[in-house]
Amino acid sequence: MSAAPEAAVSADAAWATQAERSNAAMLRVMRWIAVTLGRRVSRLVLHPITLYFMVFGGAAARASTGYLTRVLGRPARWSERYRHIHHFAATVLDRVYLLRGNLHLFEVEVVGAEHLDAVLAGGRGAFLVGGHLGSFEALRALGQQRRGLRVAMLMYEHNARLLTTTLRAIAPDAVQKVIGLGRMESMLELRDWLDDGGVAGLLADRTLQGPGTADSASGRSRTHWIPFLGQPAAFSDGAFRLAALLRRPVVFMAGLYLGGGRYQLRFAPLADFSSVAANGRDAAVGEAVRRYARVLEQHCRETPRNWFNFFDFWAGSPGPQDPDDARSETP
């Protein structure tokens, strides 16, 4: 088992503290355009936005091209790069309508809901683990269909404040439960939410560390180098350590954008930590994060335009010939 490169650990830590940036003024403009002009006309604005991003997007635009080259197995064409960014812009616009409850504008298909139903039948809530794949807001459509489904988003306190600002900008009346991580009392709030049958959603393709987010005994999560689209990439197991610490089941969730007004919600079982003993936690967490990476890769290959992680996800990779799961603890 080899140690992860120092550069990769530094990059991982940087993403742990990087803010999910938002521009409240611009979001208010987008909200005005979306609400005033309607979705059909507003979607026309996405084309100049997409072109602007392709020309001036810098590192994010280059990351899009690099990802497409990996997932397609060949250099990405200009049209494919355009459609990838346009897909992202479309889901951002749709956030306005989804958060405002305008669900009649969309056709949402649900696949694998029985997996979530089986977990919730246990009465102890569930972790819904997703990624920067499609739109997490599409889950609101399922929540409206099933009035008893209560979903809370888990994120760091600073990002939680940014999300609140975002919501006020684009959907002032939207009600969304957010549990801010980074405090020990967050664990108690999260535990009570789950015990009451709630669902906790979080994205596992970014680092999740700090008090109240991982193994409280060590205060550390681990980085696993796992083959992803042909080369090892760093996956933090913080989300799964949190689920293991609270001894809860974990279900994968993705709200895939299929174009136009069509979305597809997908659910798949990932892990169940309900009966995992403390001395078996590391092995169970390791298997869960590897399964998560496999499921995420499967979805990227099937719907490549839905991957919206616009940074070098493979930065500091030990190389394609290295062991598929070299771990390093990150403080």
Side-chain angles (χ1 to χ4, degrees):
M1 197 181 322
S2 62
E6 182 178 348
V9 175
S10 298
D12 204 32
W15 275 104
T17 58
Q18 179 170 333
E20 297 286 349
R21 305 186 186 279
S22 65
N23 185 317
M26 181 59 69
L27 287 170
R28 290 190 184 97
V29 172
M30 286 187 63
R31 172 180 174 269
W32 183 89
I33 292 173
V35 175
T36 304
L37 302 181
R39 186 172 181 270
R40 179 176 298 180
V41 176
S42 298
R43 282 174 61 83
L44 298 177
V45 182
L46 300 181
H47 295 290
I49 290 175
T50 299
L51 288 172
Y52 180 89
F53 187 90
M54 290 186 69
V55 176
F56 300 106
R62 291 192 296 272
S64 168
T65 301
Y67 155 74
L68 288 173
T69 298
R70 289 180 184 277
V71 73
L72 297 174
R74 56 170 172 76
R77 302 186 185 98
W78 186 92
S79 59
E80 292 165 333
R81 293 164 49 211
Y82 182 91
R83 286 195 293 269
H84 182 215
I85 296 171
H86 187 273
H87 249 53
F88 173 63
T91 61
V92 172
L93 176 65
D94 284 348
R95 289 186 70 186
V96 175
Y97 302 107
L98 290 166
L99 289 171
R100 289 173 61 86
N102 302 135
L103 303 180
H104 64 281
L105 298 173
F106 305 99
E107 177 185 341
V108 182
E109 179 187 8
V110 182
V111 177
E114 66 275 10
H115 301 301
L116 178 60
D117 292 339
V119 166
L120 293 178
R124 300 187 67 242
F127 276 86
L128 275 184
V129 173
H132 289 75
L133 184 77
S135 172
F136 199 90
E137 281 79 13
L139 182 63
R140 296 175 69 87
L142 184 64
Q144 189 176 80
Q145 293 173 14
R146 305 180 182 195
R147 299 292 182 177
L149 183 64
R150 300 180 302 111
V151 181
M153 281 297 296
L154 305 181
M155 56 185 62
Y156 283 106
E157 285 286 348
H158 182 60
N159 288 352
R161 288 193 293 272
L162 287 177
L163 176 63
T164 300
T165 300
T166 301
L167 288 175
R168 287 174 180 167
I170 65 178
D173 298 326
V175 177
Q176 183 160 315
K177 173 70 174 179
V178 178
I179 298 178
L181 300 175
R183 303 170 290 110
M184 290 307 300
E185 52 266 35
S186 301
M187 294 290 286
L188 299 178
E189 183 180 359
L190 175 57
R191 182 200 62 190
D192 292 343
W193 177 263
L194 294 170
D195 283 345
D196 198 34
V199 170
L202 68 167
L203 307 182
D205 53 352
R206 297 275 176 91
T207 301
L208 182 65
Q209 297 178 341
T213 63
D215 188 340
S216 61
S218 64
R220 299 181 178 185
S221 61
R222 291 182 177 181
T223 297
H224 299 243
W225 287 97
I226 302 173
F228 185 69
L229 299 177
Q231 185 171 340
F235 286 85
S236 172
D237 65 11
F240 299 96
R241 285 188 177 275
L242 180 57
L245 185 65
L246 294 174
R247 303 169 70 90
R248 308 291 167 142
V250 182
V251 176
F252 177 85
M253 178 269 173
L256 302 176
Y257 176 59
L258 304 182
R262 296 181 300 124
Y263 283 84
Q264 186 180 82
L265 289 175
R266 293 189 183 181
F267 299 94
L270 280 181
D272 188 351
F273 298 106
S274 301
S275 58
V276 175
N279 59 4
R281 184 180 298 158
D282 281 351
V285 166
E287 175 55 34
V289 71
R290 287 189 291 272
R291 177 171 174 78
Y292 169 76
R294 292 194 298 268
V295 173
L296 192 64
E297 177 175 358
Q298 171 192 333
H299 283 78
C300 284
R301 292 194 182 279
E302 183 179 345
T303 60
R305 299 174 197 168
N306 272 279
W307 172 256
F308 302 141
N309 240 328
F310 292 107
F311 73 102
D312 186 359
F313 198 71
W314 295 264
S317 169
Q321 302 303 316
D322 283 45
D324 66 351
D325 188 13
R327 302 177 187 132
S328 72
E329 291 188 354
T330 54

